Amino acid sequence: VNLSQSMGDSCTLGSYLSNVDPWYNSNISSLGCMIHKLAKLQEMNPERPKDPFISDVIAYYVRSGQQPIYFTIYFVKITFNSMTKDPVEDVFLTHLEIEFPEFKQISASVKDKQKKSCGEVCGAVISMNYRKVTLSGRDVDVGISVRTSGAQINAVPSSEAEDLNCLTLMLNEAPTKTKSLGGESKIRTSNIKIRTLERRSFTLTLDRDSRRTYKHVQSIEVSPCLDPGYCVQKTMRSKFCLDADKDAGLSKYMSKALPLPINTFAGIIN
């Protein structure tokens, strides 16, 4: 595994676990970059004797932790601008990034000059349809169009005070972003559809892993992964009931989402 590719993803989960679990913060996060340095040394010299300390600490944590934290796994459907290329389905856990390559090459100084001269930002026009998550629980469906050179979607919150079952979307350009989104600097949602409205495509990267990069993308649909057991129950019910959209029977008591539980010493009460 290329450490430079996986480090960002692992640090995202590690930072969150450090915030909610004091034992993890003191015994694992305190090691800092030592874990990656030792792994790199082992990668460069496979015959070097392995240091069991880190593996023992992590193994103890995995075996002894009994309070789970449930991270949401997200499904993404990717549609390309080529009619001959079939849509692709993938998943991500921590991060999704959208970039328009032609605007990525523009230097920051050029952007600043354009902002000062005309108040606009270089970028492509995209449409976003999403369900806005609010603290009151009165979620509303929103549809807007904005101009941007890219966006990031974070699935893991920066602190335990934020909802773990919620996506946070941020656009690259803050001035345009706050104006287009009604003064808000970010979007909080559980599912979202993004589509480019111009004859442009964007590049999509999942979990900051360059091996999971998709080019020439026209649109994406993001939503929580459904539990296979729930899907089976829905399928079986649809064979015998015309009103299969409503949850009933066993599916009524099953969790729709497919979580990734990580056992800790602290845990989170949902």
Side-chain angles (χ1 to χ4, degrees):
V1 176
N2 190 320
L3 292 175
S4 62
Q5 293 173 340
S6 61
M7 187 172 180
D9 183 36
S10 62
C11 286
T12 300
L13 287 177
S15 297
Y16 186 82
L17 291 175
S18 296
N19 290 333
V20 299
D21 192 341
W23 193 96
Y24 184 95
N25 184 49
S26 300
N27 295 279
I28 297 181
S29 291
S30 60
L31 298 175
C33 296
M34 185 187 301
I35 297 176
H36 297 285
K37 288 181 179 178
L38 288 176
K40 187 66 175 178
L41 289 174
Q42 192 67 43
E43 182 181 323
M44 296 173 61
N45 186 9
E47 298 184 3
R48 179 178 179 271
K50 295 183 178 180
D51 188 343
F53 172 71
I54 293 178
S55 59
D56 286 349
V57 171
I58 295 177
Y60 173 76
Y61 186 74
V62 172
R63 292 197 306 266
S64 303
Q66 297 184 3
Q67 303 297 324
I69 294 177
Y70 294 96
F71 293 93
T72 302
I73 303 174
Y74 286 93
F75 163 87
V76 54
K77 182 178 180 180
I78 306 165
T79 303
F80 302 92
N81 60 357
S82 174
M83 300 296 292
T84 59
K85 193 169 184 179
D86 294 332
V88 172
E89 297 178 351
D90 206 334
V91 297
F92 70 96
L93 181 64
T94 63
H95 190 264
L96 179 151
E97 183 174 8
I98 293 173
E99 286 184 338
F100 289 90
E102 61 267 43
F103 298 113
K104 186 179 179 181
Q105 304 301 325
I106 301 176
S107 65
S109 59
V110 173
K111 283 186 177 182
D112 291 338
K113 291 179 181 179
Q114 290 174 338
K115 290 177 187 178
K116 292 178 182 178
S117 62
C118 61
E120 293 294 333
V121 178
C122 281
V125 178
I126 60 173
S127 69
M128 299 191 300
N129 297 90
Y130 60 94
R131 172 155 291 186
K132 182 180 178 181
V133 175
T134 62
L135 294 176
S136 64
R138 298 176 181 177
D139 299 348
V140 294
D141 293 327
V142 180
I144 60 173
S145 297
V146 295
R147 184 178 294 277
T148 182
S149 64
Q152 296 82 39
I153 296 179
N154 295 315
V156 178
S158 57
S159 70
E160 66 272 25
E162 299 181 29
D163 189 357
L164 192 57
N165 301 312
C166 184
L167 295 168
T168 301
L169 179 141
M170 294 176 289
L171 302 179
N172 284 359
E173 291 76 26
T176 300
K177 171 175 56 178
T178 55
K179 181 180 178 181
S180 302
L181 304 182
E184 297 180 341
S185 60
K186 57 186 178 182
I187 292 173
R188 297 181 60 78
T189 181
S190 57
N191 54 71
I192 188 169
K193 298 179 182 179
I194 300 176
R195 181 183 182 88
T196 176
L197 298 181
E198 301 173 323
R199 292 185 177 180
R200 290 191 175 97
S201 61
F202 55 85
T203 299
L204 179 71
T205 304
L206 302 177
D207 286 333
R208 295 192 177 99
D209 189 343
S210 60
R211 297 165 298 180
R212 302 175 63 206
T213 297
Y214 298 90
K215 298 181 178 180
H216 310 298
V217 178
Q218 185 182 48
S219 66
I220 59 171
E221 298 180 21
V222 180
S223 60
C225 276
L226 294 179
D227 189 291
Y230 173 81
C231 295
V232 169
Q233 288 294 322
K234 292 288 287 186
T235 301
M236 293 177 60
R237 177 172 170 76
S238 65
K239 295 180 180 179
F240 305 101
C241 181
L242 295 177
D243 191 12
D245 291 335
K246 293 184 178 180
D247 291 331
L250 185 60
S251 62
K252 184 178 181 180
Y253 303 98
M254 297 180 66
S255 173
K256 295 182 181 181
L258 177 65
L260 172 65
I262 296 181
N263 286 336
T264 69
F265 290 125
I268 290 181
I269 300 176
N270 293 322

